[in-house]
Coordinates of all heavy atoms in Angstrom, one line a residue:
M27 N 0.8 -1.2 0.0 CA 0.0 0.0 0.0 C 0.9 1.2 0.0 O 1.9 1.3 0.7 CB -0.9 0.0 1.2 CG -1.9 -1.1 1.3 SD -3.0 -1.2 -0.1 CE -4.1 0.2 0.3
T28 N 0.4 2.2 -0.8 CA 1.2 3.4 -0.8 C 0.7 4.4 0.2 O -0.5 4.6 0.4 CB 1.0 4.1 -2.2 OG1 1.3 3.1 -3.2 CG2 1.9 5.2 -2.4
S29 N 1.6 5.0 0.9 CA 1.2 6.1 1.9 C 1.6 7.4 1.3 O 2.4 7.5 0.4 CB 1.8 5.8 3.2 OG 3.2 6.2 3.2
L30 N 1.1 8.4 1.9 CA 1.5 9.8 1.4 C 3.0 10.0 1.5 O 3.6 10.6 0.6 CB 0.7 10.8 2.3 CG 0.6 12.2 1.8 CD1 0.2 12.3 0.4 CD2 -0.3 13.0 2.7
D31 N 3.6 9.5 2.6 CA 5.0 9.6 2.7 C 5.8 9.0 1.6 O 6.8 9.6 1.1 CB 5.5 8.9 4.0 CG 5.2 9.7 5.3 OD1 4.7 10.9 5.1 OD2 5.4 9.2 6.4
D32 N 5.3 7.9 1.1 CA 6.0 7.3 -0.1 C 5.9 8.1 -1.3 O 6.7 8.1 -2.2 CB 5.4 5.9 -0.4 CG 5.6 4.9 0.8 OD1 6.6 5.1 1.5 OD2 4.8 4.1 1.0
Y33 N 4.8 8.8 -1.4 CA 4.4 9.6 -2.5 C 5.2 10.9 -2.6 O 5.6 11.4 -3.7 CB 2.9 10.0 -2.5 CG 2.2 9.7 -3.8 CD1 1.7 8.4 -4.1 CD2 2.1 10.7 -4.7 CE1 1.1 8.2 -5.2 CE2 1.4 10.5 -5.9 CZ 0.9 9.2 -6.2 OH 0.3 9.0 -7.3
L34 N 5.5 11.5 -1.4 CA 6.1 12.8 -1.4 C 7.6 12.8 -1.5 O 8.3 13.1 -0.6 CB 5.6 13.6 -0.2 CG 4.1 13.9 -0.2 CD1 3.7 14.5 1.1 CD2 3.7 14.7 -1.3
T35 N 8.1 12.3 -2.6 CA 9.5 12.2 -2.8 C 10.0 13.5 -3.4 O 9.3 14.3 -4.0 CB 9.9 11.0 -3.7 OG1 9.3 11.3 -5.0 CG2 9.4 9.7 -3.1
E36 N 11.3 13.7 -3.4 CA 11.9 14.8 -4.1 C 11.5 14.9 -5.6 O 11.2 15.9 -6.1 CB 13.4 14.8 -3.9 CG 14.1 16.0 -4.5 CD 15.6 16.0 -4.2 OE1 16.2 15.0 -4.0 OE2 16.1 17.2 -4.1
K37 N 11.5 13.7 -6.2 CA 11.2 13.6 -7.6 C 9.7 14.1 -7.8 O 9.5 14.9 -8.8 CB 11.4 12.2 -8.1 CG 11.1 12.1 -9.6 CD 11.3 10.7 -10.1 CE 11.0 10.6 -11.6 NZ 9.7 11.2 -12.0
T38 N 8.8 13.6 -7.0 CA 7.4 14.0 -7.2 C 7.3 15.5 -7.0 O 6.6 16.2 -7.8 CB 6.5 13.3 -6.1 OG1 6.7 11.9 -6.2 CG2 5.1 13.6 -6.3
L39 N 7.9 16.0 -6.0 CA 7.8 17.5 -5.8 C 8.4 18.3 -6.9 O 7.9 19.3 -7.3 CB 8.5 17.8 -4.4 CG 7.9 17.2 -3.2 CD1 8.7 17.6 -2.0 CD2 6.4 17.6 -3.0
L40 N 9.5 17.8 -7.4 CA 10.2 18.5 -8.5 C 9.3 18.5 -9.8 O 9.3 19.4 -10.6 CB 11.6 18.0 -8.8 CG 12.6 18.4 -7.8 CD1 13.9 17.5 -8.0 CD2 13.0 19.9 -7.9
D41 N 8.6 17.3 -9.9 CA 7.7 17.2 -11.1 C 6.5 18.1 -11.0 O 6.0 18.6 -12.0 CB 7.2 15.7 -11.2 CG 8.3 14.8 -11.8 OD1 9.3 15.3 -12.3 OD2 8.0 13.6 -11.8
L42 N 6.0 18.2 -9.8 CA 4.7 18.9 -9.6 C 4.8 20.4 -9.3 O 3.8 21.1 -9.4 CB 3.9 18.2 -8.5 CG 3.5 16.8 -8.7 CD1 2.8 16.2 -7.5 CD2 2.5 16.7 -9.9
A43 N 6.0 20.8 -8.9 CA 6.1 22.2 -8.5 C 7.0 23.0 -9.5 O 7.9 22.4 -10.0 CB 6.7 22.3 -7.1
P44 N 6.6 24.2 -9.8 CA 7.5 25.0 -10.6 C 8.8 25.2 -9.9 O 8.8 25.2 -8.6 CB 6.8 26.3 -10.8 CG 5.3 26.1 -10.4 CD 5.4 24.9 -9.4
P45 N 9.9 25.4 -10.6 CA 11.2 25.5 -9.9 C 11.3 26.5 -8.8 O 11.8 26.3 -7.7 CB 12.2 25.9 -11.0 CG 11.5 25.3 -12.3 CD 10.1 25.4 -12.1
K46 N 10.7 27.7 -9.0 CA 10.7 28.7 -8.0 C 9.9 28.3 -6.8 O 10.4 28.5 -5.6 CB 10.1 30.0 -8.5 CG 10.3 31.2 -7.6 CD 9.8 32.5 -8.1 CE 10.2 33.6 -7.2 NZ 9.7 33.4 -5.8
A47 N 8.8 27.6 -7.0 CA 8.0 27.1 -5.8 C 8.8 26.1 -5.0 O 8.7 26.1 -3.8 CB 6.7 26.5 -6.3
Y48 N 9.6 25.3 -5.7 CA 10.4 24.3 -5.0 C 11.4 25.0 -4.1 O 11.6 24.6 -3.0 CB 11.0 23.3 -6.0 CG 11.7 22.2 -5.3 CD1 10.9 21.0 -4.9 CD2 13.0 22.2 -4.9 CE1 11.5 20.0 -4.2 CE2 13.6 21.2 -4.2 CZ 12.9 20.1 -3.9 OH 13.4 19.1 -3.2
V49 N 12.1 25.9 -4.7 CA 13.2 26.6 -4.0 C 12.6 27.4 -2.8 O 13.1 27.3 -1.7 CB 13.9 27.6 -5.0 CG1 14.9 28.5 -4.2 CG2 14.7 26.8 -6.0
D50 N 11.5 28.1 -3.1 CA 10.9 28.9 -2.0 C 10.4 28.0 -0.9 O 10.5 28.3 0.3 CB 9.8 29.8 -2.5 CG 10.3 30.9 -3.4 OD1 11.5 31.1 -3.4 OD2 9.5 31.6 -4.0
G51 N 9.8 26.9 -1.3 CA 9.3 25.9 -0.3 C 10.3 25.3 0.5 O 10.2 25.1 1.7
A52 N 11.5 24.9 -0.1 CA 12.6 24.4 0.6 C 13.1 25.4 1.6 O 13.4 25.0 2.8 CB 13.7 23.9 -0.3
A53 N 13.2 26.6 1.3 CA 13.7 27.7 2.2 C 12.7 27.8 3.3 O 13.1 27.9 4.5 CB 13.8 29.0 1.4
A54 N 11.4 27.8 3.1 CA 10.4 28.0 4.1 C 10.5 26.8 5.1 O 10.4 27.0 6.3 CB 9.0 28.1 3.5
A55 N 10.6 25.6 4.6 CA 10.7 24.4 5.5 C 12.0 24.5 6.3 O 12.0 24.2 7.5 CB 10.7 23.1 4.6
E56 N 13.1 24.9 5.7 CA 14.3 25.0 6.4 C 14.3 26.0 7.5 O 14.9 25.9 8.6 CB 15.4 25.4 5.4 CG 16.8 25.2 5.9 CD 17.8 25.3 4.8 OE1 17.6 24.8 3.7 OE2 18.8 26.1 5.0
H57 N 13.5 27.1 7.3 CA 13.4 28.1 8.3 C 12.3 27.8 9.4 O 12.0 28.7 10.2 CB 13.1 29.5 7.7 CG 14.3 30.0 6.9 ND1 14.4 30.0 5.6 CD2 15.5 30.5 7.4 CE1 15.6 30.5 5.2 NE2 16.3 30.8 6.3
G58 N 11.8 26.6 9.3 CA 10.8 26.3 10.4 C 9.5 27.0 10.2 O 8.8 27.2 11.2
S59 N 9.1 27.3 9.0 CA 7.8 28.1 8.8 C 6.6 27.2 8.8 O 5.5 27.7 8.7 CB 7.9 28.8 7.5 OG 9.0 29.7 7.4
V60 N 6.8 25.9 8.9 CA 5.7 25.0 8.7 C 5.3 24.4 10.1 O 6.1 24.0 10.9 CB 6.1 23.8 7.8 CG1 4.9 22.9 7.6 CG2 6.5 24.4 6.4
R61 N 4.0 24.4 10.3 CA 3.4 23.8 11.5 C 2.4 22.7 11.1 O 1.4 23.1 10.5 CB 2.7 24.8 12.4 CG 2.4 24.2 13.8 CD 2.1 25.3 14.8 NE 0.8 26.0 14.6 CZ -0.3 25.5 15.1 NH1 -0.3 24.5 15.9 NH2 -1.5 26.1 14.9
I62 N 2.8 21.5 11.3 CA 1.9 20.4 10.9 C 0.7 20.3 11.8 O 0.8 20.3 13.1 CB 2.6 19.0 11.0 CG1 3.9 19.0 10.1 CG2 1.7 17.9 10.6 CD1 3.7 19.1 8.7
L63 N -0.5 20.4 11.3 CA -1.7 20.3 12.0 C -2.3 18.9 12.1 O -2.8 18.5 13.2 CB -2.8 21.3 11.4 CG -2.4 22.7 11.3 CD1 -3.5 23.5 10.5 CD2 -2.2 23.4 12.6
E64 N -2.3 18.2 11.0 CA -2.8 16.9 11.0 C -2.0 16.1 10.0 O -1.5 16.5 9.0 CB -4.2 16.9 10.3 CG -5.3 17.3 11.2 CD -6.7 17.3 10.4 OE1 -7.0 16.3 9.8 OE2 -7.3 18.4 10.4
R65 N -1.7 14.8 10.5 CA -0.9 14.0 9.6 C -1.3 12.5 9.8 O -1.2 12.1 11.0 CB 0.6 14.2 9.9 CG 1.5 13.4 9.0 CD 2.9 13.6 9.4 NE 3.8 12.9 8.5 CZ 5.1 12.6 8.7 NH1 5.6 13.1 9.7 NH2 5.8 11.9 7.8
D66 N -1.7 11.9 8.8 CA -1.8 10.4 8.9 C -1.3 9.9 7.5 O -0.7 10.6 6.7 CB -3.2 10.0 9.3 CG -4.2 10.4 8.3 OD1 -3.9 10.4 7.0 OD2 -5.4 10.7 8.7
E67 N -1.6 8.6 7.3 CA -1.0 7.9 6.1 C -1.4 8.6 4.8 O -0.7 8.5 3.8 CB -1.5 6.5 6.1 CG -0.6 5.6 6.9 CD -0.5 4.2 6.3 OE1 -1.5 3.8 5.7 OE2 0.6 3.5 6.4
K68 N -2.6 9.1 4.8 CA -3.2 9.6 3.5 C -3.5 11.0 3.5 O -4.1 11.5 2.5 CB -4.6 8.8 3.2 CG -4.5 7.3 3.3 CD -4.1 6.7 1.9 CE -4.0 5.2 2.0 NZ -3.5 4.7 0.7
H69 N -3.2 11.7 4.5 CA -3.6 13.1 4.6 C -2.6 13.9 5.4 O -2.1 13.5 6.4 CB -5.0 13.1 5.4 CG -5.5 14.5 5.6 ND1 -6.2 14.8 6.7 CD2 -5.6 15.5 4.8 CE1 -6.6 16.1 6.6 NE2 -6.2 16.5 5.5
L70 N -2.4 15.1 4.9 CA -1.4 16.0 5.6 C -2.0 17.4 5.5 O -2.4 17.9 4.4 CB -0.1 15.9 4.8 CG 1.1 16.8 5.3 CD1 1.5 16.5 6.7 CD2 2.3 16.6 4.4
R71 N -2.0 18.1 6.6 CA -2.5 19.5 6.7 C -1.6 20.3 7.5 O -1.2 19.8 8.6 CB -3.9 19.5 7.2 CG -4.6 20.9 7.0 CD -6.1 20.7 7.1 NE -6.5 20.5 8.5 CZ -6.8 21.5 9.3 NH1 -6.8 22.7 8.9 NH2 -7.1 21.2 10.6
A72 N -1.2 21.5 7.1 CA -0.2 22.3 7.8 C -0.5 23.8 7.6 O -1.1 24.1 6.6 CB 1.2 21.9 7.4
E73 N 0.0 24.5 8.5 CA 0.0 26.0 8.4 C 1.4 26.4 8.0 O 2.4 25.9 8.5 CB -0.3 26.7 9.7 CG -1.7 26.7 10.1 CD -2.0 27.3 11.5 OE1 -1.0 27.5 12.2 OE2 -3.1 27.6 11.8
V74 N 1.5 27.3 7.0 CA 2.8 27.8 6.6 C 2.8 29.3 6.9 O 2.0 30.1 6.4 CB 3.0 27.5 5.1 CG1 4.4 28.0 4.7 CG2 2.8 26.1 4.8
A75 N 3.8 29.7 7.7 CA 3.9 31.1 8.2 C 4.1 32.0 7.0 O 4.8 31.6 6.0 CB 5.0 31.2 9.2
G76 N 3.6 33.2 7.0 CA 3.8 34.1 6.0 C 2.9 35.2 6.2 O 2.2 35.3 7.2
S77 N 2.8 36.1 5.2 CA 1.8 37.2 5.3 C 0.9 37.2 4.1 O 1.3 37.7 3.1 CB 2.5 38.5 5.5 OG 3.5 38.7 4.5
P78 N -0.3 36.7 4.2 CA -0.8 36.1 5.4 C -0.4 34.6 5.5 O 0.1 34.0 4.6 CB -2.3 36.1 5.2 CG -2.5 36.0 3.7 CD -1.3 36.7 3.1
M79 N -0.7 34.0 6.7 CA -0.4 32.6 6.9 C -1.4 31.8 6.0 O -2.5 32.2 5.7 CB -0.7 32.2 8.3 CG -0.5 30.7 8.6 SD -0.7 30.4 10.4 CE 0.9 30.9 11.0
Q80 N -0.9 30.7 5.4 CA -1.7 29.8 4.5 C -1.9 28.5 5.1 O -1.0 28.0 5.9 CB -1.0 29.7 3.2 CG -0.7 31.0 2.5 CD -1.9 31.8 2.1 OE1 -3.0 31.4 2.1 NE2 -1.6 33.1 1.6
T81 N -2.9 27.8 4.8 CA -3.2 26.4 5.2 C -3.1 25.5 3.9 O -3.8 25.8 3.0 CB -4.5 26.3 5.9 OG1 -4.6 27.2 6.9 CG2 -4.7 24.8 6.4
S82 N -2.2 24.6 4.0 CA -2.0 23.7 2.9 C -2.4 22.3 3.2 O -2.3 21.8 4.4 CB -0.5 23.6 2.6 OG 0.0 24.8 2.2
E83 N -2.9 21.6 2.2 CA -3.5 20.3 2.5 C -3.1 19.3 1.3 O -3.2 19.7 0.1 CB -5.0 20.4 2.6 CG -5.6 19.3 3.4 CD -7.0 19.7 3.8 OE1 -7.5 20.7 3.5 OE2 -7.6 18.8 4.5
L84 N -2.6 18.2 1.6 CA -2.3 17.1 0.6 C -3.0 15.9 1.0 O -3.1 15.5 2.2 CB -0.8 16.8 0.6 CG 0.1 18.0 0.1 CD1 1.4 18.1 0.8 CD2 0.4 17.8 -1.4
R85 N -3.6 15.2 0.0 CA -4.4 14.0 0.3 C -4.1 13.0 -0.8 O -4.0 13.3 -1.9 CB -5.8 14.4 0.3 CG -6.8 13.3 0.8 CD -8.2 13.8 0.7 NE -8.5 14.9 1.6 CZ -8.8 14.7 2.9 NH1 -8.9 13.4 3.4 NH2 -9.1 15.7 3.7
L86 N -4.0 11.8 -0.3 CA -3.8 10.7 -1.3 C -5.1 9.9 -1.4 O -5.6 9.3 -0.4 CB -2.7 9.7 -0.8 CG -2.2 8.7 -1.8 CD1 -1.6 9.3 -3.0 CD2 -1.1 7.8 -1.1
G87 N -5.7 10.0 -2.6 CA -7.0 9.3 -2.8 C -6.8 8.2 -3.8 O -5.7 7.9 -4.3
A88 N -7.9 7.6 -4.2 CA -7.9 6.5 -5.2 C -7.4 7.0 -6.5 O -6.8 6.2 -7.3 CB -9.4 6.0 -5.3
D89 N -7.6 8.3 -6.8 CA -7.2 8.8 -8.1 C -5.8 9.5 -8.0 O -5.5 10.3 -8.8 CB -8.2 9.7 -8.7 CG -8.7 10.7 -7.7 OD1 -8.3 10.7 -6.5 OD2 -9.5 11.6 -8.0
G90 N -5.1 9.3 -6.9 CA -3.7 9.8 -6.8 C -3.7 11.0 -5.8 O -4.5 11.1 -4.9
L91 N -2.7 11.8 -6.0 CA -2.4 12.9 -5.1 C -3.3 14.1 -5.4 O -3.4 14.5 -6.6 CB -0.9 13.3 -5.2 CG -0.4 14.3 -4.2 CD1 -0.4 13.7 -2.8 CD2 1.1 14.6 -4.6
R92 N -3.9 14.6 -4.4 CA -4.7 15.8 -4.5 C -4.2 16.9 -3.5 O -3.7 16.5 -2.5 CB -6.2 15.5 -4.2 CG -6.8 14.6 -5.1 CD -7.3 15.2 -6.3 NE -7.3 14.3 -7.4 CZ -7.5 14.6 -8.7 NH1 -7.7 15.8 -9.0 NH2 -7.6 13.7 -9.6
W93 N -4.4 18.1 -3.8 CA -3.9 19.1 -2.9 C -4.7 20.4 -3.0 O -5.4 20.6 -4.0 CB -2.4 19.4 -3.2 CG -2.1 19.9 -4.6 CD1 -2.3 21.2 -5.0 CD2 -1.7 19.1 -5.7 NE1 -1.9 21.2 -6.4 CE2 -1.6 20.0 -6.8 CE3 -1.4 17.8 -5.9 CZ2 -1.2 19.6 -8.1 CZ3 -0.9 17.4 -7.1 CH2 -0.8 18.2 -8.2
S94 N -4.6 21.2 -2.0 CA -5.2 22.5 -2.0 C -4.4 23.4 -1.1 O -3.7 23.0 -0.2 CB -6.6 22.5 -1.6 OG -6.7 22.1 -0.2
C95 N -4.5 24.7 -1.3 CA -3.8 25.7 -0.5 C -4.6 27.0 -0.5 O -5.2 27.3 -1.5 CB -2.4 25.9 -1.0 SG -1.5 27.1 0.1
T96 N -4.7 27.6 0.7 CA -5.5 28.8 0.8 C -4.9 30.0 0.0 O -5.6 31.0 -0.1 CB -5.7 29.2 2.3 OG1 -4.4 29.2 2.9 CG2 -6.6 28.2 3.0
C97 N -3.7 29.9 -0.5 CA -3.2 31.0 -1.3 C -3.8 31.1 -2.6 O -3.7 32.1 -3.3 CB -1.6 30.8 -1.4 SG -1.1 29.5 -2.6
G98 N -4.5 30.0 -3.1 CA -5.2 30.1 -4.4 C -4.3 29.9 -5.6 O -4.7 30.1 -6.7
E99 N -3.0 29.6 -5.3 CA -2.0 29.5 -6.5 C -1.7 28.1 -6.7 O -0.7 27.8 -7.5 CB -0.8 30.3 -6.1 CG -1.0 31.8 -6.2 CD 0.2 32.6 -5.6 OE1 1.3 32.0 -5.5 OE2 0.0 33.7 -5.2
A100 N -2.4 27.2 -6.2 CA -2.0 25.8 -6.3 C -2.9 25.0 -7.3 O -3.2 23.8 -7.1 CB -2.1 25.1 -4.9
A101 N -3.4 25.7 -8.3 CA -4.2 25.0 -9.3 C -3.3 24.3 -10.3 O -2.5 25.0 -11.0 CB -5.1 26.0 -10.0
G102 N -3.3 23.0 -10.3 CA -2.5 22.3 -11.3 C -1.1 22.0 -10.9 O -0.6 20.9 -11.1
R103 N -0.4 23.0 -10.3 CA 0.9 22.8 -9.8 C 0.9 23.0 -8.3 O 0.0 23.6 -7.7 CB 1.9 23.9 -10.4 CG 1.8 24.0 -11.9 CD 2.2 22.7 -12.7 NE 3.5 22.3 -12.4 CZ 4.6 22.7 -13.1 NH1 4.5 23.6 -14.0 NH2 5.8 22.2 -12.8
L104 N 2.0 22.6 -7.7 CA 2.1 22.8 -6.2 C 2.7 24.2 -6.0 O 3.5 24.7 -6.7 CB 3.2 21.8 -5.6 CG 2.8 20.3 -5.6 CD1 4.0 19.5 -5.0 CD2 1.5 20.1 -4.9
C105 N 2.1 24.9 -5.0 CA 2.7 26.2 -4.6 C 3.8 26.0 -3.6 O 4.0 24.9 -3.1 CB 1.6 27.1 -4.0 SG 0.9 26.4 -2.5
H106 N 4.5 27.0 -3.3 CA 5.6 26.8 -2.4 C 5.2 26.4 -1.0 O 5.9 25.7 -0.2 CB 6.6 28.0 -2.4 CG 6.2 29.1 -1.5 ND1 5.4 30.2 -1.9 CD2 6.5 29.4 -0.2 CE1 5.3 31.0 -0.9 NE2 5.9 30.6 0.1
H107 N 3.9 26.8 -0.6 CA 3.5 26.3 0.7 C 3.3 24.8 0.8 O 3.6 24.2 1.8 CB 2.1 26.9 1.0 CG 2.0 28.4 0.8 ND1 1.4 29.0 -0.2 CD2 2.6 29.4 1.6 CE1 1.6 30.3 -0.1 NE2 2.3 30.6 1.0
L108 N 2.8 24.2 -0.3 CA 2.7 22.8 -0.4 C 4.0 22.1 -0.4 O 4.2 21.0 0.2 CB 1.8 22.4 -1.6 CG 0.3 22.7 -1.4 CD1 -0.3 22.8 -2.8 CD2 -0.4 21.7 -0.6
V109 N 5.0 22.6 -1.1 CA 6.3 22.1 -1.1 C 6.9 22.1 0.3 O 7.4 21.1 0.8 CB 7.2 22.8 -2.1 CG1 8.7 22.3 -2.0 CG2 6.7 22.7 -3.5
A110 N 6.7 23.2 1.0 CA 7.3 23.4 2.3 C 6.6 22.4 3.3 O 7.3 21.7 4.1 CB 7.0 24.8 2.8
T111 N 5.3 22.2 3.1 CA 4.6 21.2 3.9 C 5.1 19.8 3.8 O 5.3 19.1 4.7 CB 3.1 21.3 3.6 OG1 2.6 22.6 3.9 CG2 2.3 20.3 4.4
A112 N 5.3 19.4 2.5 CA 5.8 18.1 2.2 C 7.2 17.9 2.8 O 7.5 16.9 3.4 CB 5.8 17.8 0.7
L113 N 8.0 18.9 2.5 CA 9.4 18.8 3.0 C 9.5 18.8 4.5 O 10.4 18.1 5.1 CB 10.3 20.0 2.4 CG 10.5 20.0 0.9 CD1 11.3 21.2 0.5 CD2 11.2 18.7 0.5
A114 N 8.6 19.4 5.2 CA 8.6 19.5 6.6 C 8.4 18.1 7.3 O 8.7 17.9 8.4 CB 7.6 20.5 7.2
T115 N 7.8 17.2 6.5 CA 7.5 15.8 7.0 C 8.7 14.9 6.9 O 8.7 13.8 7.4 CB 6.3 15.2 6.4 OG1 6.7 14.9 5.0 CG2 5.1 16.0 6.4
W116 N 9.7 15.4 6.1 CA 10.9 14.5 5.9 C 11.7 14.4 7.2 O 11.8 15.4 8.0 CB 11.8 15.1 4.8 CG 11.2 14.9 3.5 CD1 9.9 14.5 3.2 CD2 11.8 15.2 2.2 NE1 9.8 14.5 1.8 CE2 10.9 14.9 1.2 CE3 13.1 15.6 1.9 CZ2 11.2 15.1 -0.1 CZ3 13.4 15.8 0.5 CH2 12.5 15.5 -0.5
P117 N 12.3 13.3 7.5 CA 13.1 13.2 8.7 C 14.3 14.2 8.6 O 14.8 14.4 7.5 CB 13.7 11.8 8.6 CG 12.8 11.0 7.6 CD 12.3 12.1 6.7
T118 N 14.6 14.8 9.7 CA 15.7 15.7 9.7 C 17.0 15.0 9.7 O 17.2 14.0 10.5 CB 15.7 16.6 11.0 OG1 14.4 17.2 11.0 CG2 16.7 17.7 10.9
E119 N 17.9 15.3 8.8 CA 19.1 14.6 8.7 C 20.1 15.1 9.8 O 20.3 16.3 9.9 CB 19.8 14.8 7.3 CG 19.1 13.9 6.3 CD 19.8 14.1 4.9 OE1 21.0 14.2 4.9 OE2 19.0 14.1 4.0
V120 N 20.6 14.2 10.6 CA 21.5 14.6 11.6 C 22.9 14.5 11.1 O 23.3 13.4 10.6 CB 21.3 13.7 12.9 CG1 22.3 14.1 13.9 CG2 19.9 13.8 13.4
P121 N 23.7 15.5 11.1 CA 25.1 15.4 10.6 C 25.8 14.3 11.4 O 25.7 14.3 12.6 CB 25.7 16.8 10.9 CG 24.5 17.7 11.1 CD 23.4 16.8 11.7
D122 N 26.6 13.5 10.7 CA 27.3 12.4 11.4 C 28.8 12.8 11.6 O 29.6 11.9 11.8 CB 27.1 11.1 10.6 CG 27.6 11.2 9.2 OD1 28.1 12.3 8.8 OD2 27.4 10.2 8.5
D123 N 29.1 14.1 11.6 CA 30.4 14.5 11.8 C 30.6 15.1 13.2 O 31.3 16.1 13.4 CB 30.9 15.5 10.7 CG 30.0 16.7 10.6 OD1 29.0 16.8 11.4 OD2 30.3 17.6 9.9
A124 N 29.8 14.6 14.1 CA 29.7 15.2 15.4 C 31.0 14.9 16.3 O 31.2 15.5 17.3 CB 28.5 14.7 16.2
E125 N 31.9 14.1 15.8 CA 33.0 13.8 16.6 C 34.0 15.0 16.7 O 34.3 15.6 15.8 CB 33.8 12.6 16.0 CG 33.3 11.3 16.6 CD 34.2 10.1 16.2 OE1 35.3 10.3 15.8 OE2 33.6 9.0 16.2
Ligands
ZN151 ZN1 0.0 28.0 -1.3

């Protein structure tokens, strides 16, 4: 069974988001602008800080990945809020050069 986590790979995000949205989304995630509100296998909802704050939602249904964002710019492509939301669910990589 496919879960949303399996779906939200870097490749998927790069395919679905315009390059600028990907870059801006990665920056927003890195700066901790994302607050996850709900998360389960098939559904992800988060607030992304900004002016104004936006609410992004990703859902995995029978017909594939669906998304929406209150910014209104997520028709057809992912906006940077959605990219940030997806990236915020990735495990944080811990540098292994701590010695
Ligand atoms: Zn948005």
Side-chain angles (χ1 to χ4, degrees):
M27 296 302 287
T28 308
S29 75
L30 194 52
D31 282 355
D32 297 329
Y33 227 87
L34 296 176
T35 61
E36 184 173 29
K37 182 181 183 307
T38 306
L39 296 176
L40 286 168
D41 280 351
L42 294 175
K46 186 176 187 310
Y48 188 87
V49 171
D50 290 351
E56 195 170 315
H57 289 108
S59 304
V60 181
R61 190 162 74 90
I62 304 291
L63 301 175
E64 282 177 53
R65 184 184 181 191
D66 62 34
E67 276 213 329
K68 306 272 179 185
H69 179 221
L70 177 62
R71 193 161 72 89
E73 282 179 348
V74 183
S77 48
M79 177 175 284
Q80 307 291 352
T81 304
S82 298
E83 210 163 358
L84 291 143
R85 188 181 291 277
L86 190 60
D89 50 356
L91 187 63
R92 297 280 154 188
W93 58 83
S94 65
C95 182
T96 50
C97 74
E99 290 168 20
R103 312 297 300 274
L104 297 179
C105 65
H106 82 271
H107 309 105
L108 286 159
V109 173
T111 297
L113 292 179
T115 65
W116 289 9
T118 308
E119 282 180 40
V120 179
D122 55 6
D123 58 355
E125 269 187 21

